[in-house]
Amino acid sequence: MKNRIERLKKEKNAVILAHYYAPAEVQEVADYVGDSFYLAKIAKQSDSDIIVFCGVQFMGESAKILNPEKKVLMPDLTADCPMAHMVKDGIIDQMRAKYKDLAVVCYINSTAELKCLSDVCVTSSNAVKIVKSLPNKNIFFIPDHNLGRFVAEQVREKNIILNDGCCPIHAKLTAEQVAAQKEKHPNAKVLSHPECDAEVLAVSDYIGSTADILAFAKRDESKEYIICTEDGVDYKLRTENPSKRFYYTDPRPCCKDMKLNTLETVLSVLEKEENEVIIDAELSERALIPLNRMLELAK
Ligand code: 13P
Ligand code: SF4
């Protein structure tokens, strides 16, 4: 299957982008593997005719919005991020009516419709920097309250209003689960994604996006780590750090939508050119504004 995928990529001038949460065998055939921010930048720079995006809907959508003229395919169009929908109808308008100078800051893990209603997008690796750089005092951070709270703690000068949304995978992790691993591996450092609850972040040695966690594990001198994020990162953690050990909370955090990306589904979309991401042109143009603003402000 890997050989057939390689051949089709060349024949069709296609590129495969995969998030760190995609299964290991998919990361192996991908041309670019990264966190949401890196993949958005790569999608924008790509000169291929076809982009196969191995992630979830908001990632495929963002790639299409950034490249309206390209064919963006997803191995499984039903792979979705539940958090991307967790903003109540009408609440953005209510907030805008309440705060005159409001900036709506939208985590990229959101639908194209929510991006249209927002002033700027962020990812977990640039949220603090971008929120700091905004002239607005009042910020409505959607949809993730955990990332919003993490940003608020570091940008004290702003009034950051949180929304009632979260990642169901990260929000399930508890401080007790971390403590249970710590008991077994007392020297292990705890590395966590900011989508985790406050109680997990409070017992963490390092907090960052998936790419930040990988970079930290590479440069740090410890030998053992307890990883508080989705277990797809394990593939790169192990291949980049063969002498180090990585442990996960029990049960191991797993995003079933990310795991819908398989060698079979990648091969199938490359062969048939099915599962194209289609976005209404007007919606796409409006959603491009906060995405481009993110790319500018993050520079
Ligand atoms: P990253 O910003 O680290 O890519 O995280 C995306 C995500 O979906 C986390 O659950
Ligand atoms: Fe969404 Fe959570 Fe899966 Fe990331 S891990 S894609 S935030 S459900």
Side-chain angles (χ1 to χ4, degrees):
M1 265 196 283
K2 283 183 179 163
N3 289 340
R4 283 161 70 193
I5 289 171
E6 287 305 327
R7 213 173 42 240
L8 282 165
K9 272 202 297 195
K10 284 197 193 94
E11 266 172 42
K12 301 196 176 196
N13 188 26
V15 69
I16 300 181
L17 273 54
H19 190 269
Y20 289 126
Y21 294 161
E25 69 269 23
V26 171
Q27 294 189 40
E28 276 171 5
V29 295
D31 300 284
Y32 300 95
V33 183
D35 70 351
S36 310
F37 182 46
Y38 172 79
L39 294 174
K41 283 190 295 186
I42 291 292
K44 176 134 180 159
Q45 290 158 15
S46 165
D47 56 6
S48 56
D49 298 316
I50 297 177
I51 297 175
V52 178
F53 208 118
C54 305
V56 288
Q57 271 174 28
F58 76 83
M59 296 180 179
E61 268 182 7
S62 300
K64 179 68 184 173
I65 293 164
L66 291 164
N67 294 280
E69 75 294 350
K70 294 220 171 94
K71 199 178 244 187
V72 177
L73 308 174
M74 288 188 62
D76 191 319
L77 275 179
T78 69
D80 195 9
C81 169
M83 178 165 67
H85 306 267
M86 290 185 190
V87 179
K88 279 200 200 103
D89 280 353
I91 189 140
I92 294 178
D93 284 346
Q94 282 170 32
M95 288 296 169
R96 287 204 191 273
K98 193 164 169 192
Y99 300 96
K100 287 236 152 45
D101 76 324
L102 191 78
V104 178
V105 174
C106 183
Y107 190 20
I108 198 167
N109 297 39
S110 56
T111 60
E113 286 78 3
L114 285 173
K115 288 184 176 77
C116 286
L117 302 174
S118 305
D119 297 294
V120 64
C121 288
V122 295
T123 75
S124 61
S125 63
N126 59 32
V128 170
K129 179 178 178 179
I130 289 180
V131 169
K132 263 191 185 154
S133 75
L134 295 175
N136 319 60
K137 166 95 177 150
N138 294 302
I139 308 285
F140 184 33
F141 194 100
I142 59 167
D144 186 17
H145 79 261
N146 280 320
L147 180 62
R149 189 202 57 251
F150 173 73
V151 172
E153 282 164 5
Q154 287 167 82
V155 193
R156 297 262 177 207
E157 64 275 24
K158 309 258 179 198
N159 174 35
I160 299 185
I161 304 141
L162 302 178
N163 171 67
D164 187 18
C166 68
C167 161
I169 318 299
H170 286 82
K172 262 195 213 127
L173 274 68
T174 64
E176 287 73 37
Q177 291 171 350
V178 178
Q181 290 304 319
K182 201 73 183 163
E183 215 171 290
K184 288 192 221 160
H185 313 287
N187 297 324
K189 278 189 184 156
V190 180
L191 316 185
S192 301
H193 196 282
E195 285 179 16
C196 293
D197 277 355
E199 55 163 308
V200 171
L201 299 191
V203 296
S204 300
D205 297 288
Y206 179 78
I207 302 162
S209 72
T210 48
D212 292 336
I213 288 175
L214 275 148
F216 182 89
K218 214 170 174 177
R219 70 173 177 265
D220 186 61
E221 278 164 10
S222 304
K223 291 276 165 244
E224 294 181 295
Y225 302 88
I226 297 161
I227 304 296
C228 297
T229 191
E230 210 272 349
D231 75 345
V233 293
D234 197 55
Y235 168 68
K236 276 272 184 261
L237 282 169
R238 282 181 196 280
T239 46
E240 289 182 353
N241 308 280
S243 63
K244 299 188 177 187
R245 291 189 170 272
F246 301 97
Y247 311 106
Y248 294 81
T249 47
D250 185 17
R252 253 170 104 110
C254 175
C255 176
K256 66 173 178 34
D257 287 270
M258 283 286 185
K259 306 309 183 213
L260 293 171
N261 298 288
T262 63
L263 280 187
E264 287 83 356
T265 53
V266 170
L267 178 59
S268 168
V269 286
L270 265 173
E271 270 171 347
K272 300 181 193 143
E273 295 186 34
E274 282 176 353
N275 292 358
E276 186 172 355
V277 178
I278 307 283
I279 306 178
D280 169 78
E282 198 210 319
L283 184 74
S284 181
E285 262 174 46
R286 286 169 56 210
L288 180 62
I289 298 166
L291 274 171
N292 270 339
R293 199 166 173 210
M294 170 185 80
L295 294 171
E296 268 310 304
L297 291 174
K299 267 182 192 162

